[in-house]
Amino acid sequence: MSQPLSAEIKDLLDRPNFAHLATLMPDGSPQNAPVWVGRDGDRIVVCTGEQSLKAKNTRRDPRVAFSIVDFHDPYMEAQLRGRVVEHRPDPDLRFVDLISHKYTGKPFPIRNPKGRIALVIEVDKARYTKLPFTHTPAARA
């Protein structure tokens, strides 16, 4: 059963924060990749190639997990679990261009539309956390 996203999680997803997407390999081991993310209501959108591990893994087993951390405040984060409910073709690069604009201010630079898809993910579990720390790492010696 899909879960509505909180305002805090929507805010993290709507800003150019990097997420990490975990999928399951054929042997059940996790595969993890940093990704750009978009949002379609309470669904998450990740663009990729249909031959990528993300696409292949989610065709076989649609379960995924995400973590996303605020770019400027790494103590603000969300952890999400869900499933890919659609492998949406993106031959005109519409979805990937929207997401690319969010991260780079420009259209997606690789203009080969063959095999581009958008993974549409429904969230089943979501947790938002804001820890009371200030990111002040020690200077390197």
Side-chain angles (χ1 to χ4, degrees), residues 37-77:
V37 293
R39 190 170 61 81
D40 182 7
D42 284 326
R43 292 177 165 186
I44 298 170
V45 178
V46 173
C47 295
T48 190
E50 62 186 14
Q51 295 303 312
S52 70
L53 274 177
K54 292 181 285 293
K56 289 178 182 178
N57 286 346
T58 58
R59 274 195 183 87
R60 187 188 61 265
D61 186 333
R63 294 175 297 168
V64 296
F66 272 98
S67 64
I68 186 165
V69 176
D70 183 89
F71 190 78
H72 297 289
D73 181 359
Y75 302 104
M76 183 184 309
E77 54 96 10

Side-chain angles (χ1 to χ4, degrees), residues 21-26 31-36 46-61 64 84 86-88 96 108 114-121:
L21 172 67
T23 63
L24 295 170
M25 296 294 291
Q31 189 270 335
N32 195 38
V35 294
W36 290 347
V46 173
C47 295
T48 190
E50 62 186 14
Q51 295 303 312
S52 70
L53 274 177
K54 292 181 285 293
K56 289 178 182 178
N57 286 346
T58 58
R59 274 195 183 87
R60 187 188 61 265
D61 186 333
V64 296
V84 174
E86 185 180 354
H87 286 82
R88 186 181 296 167
V96 74
F108 192 64
K114 184 177 181 191
R116 295 301 305 178
I117 61 169
L119 303 176
V120 181
I121 299 156

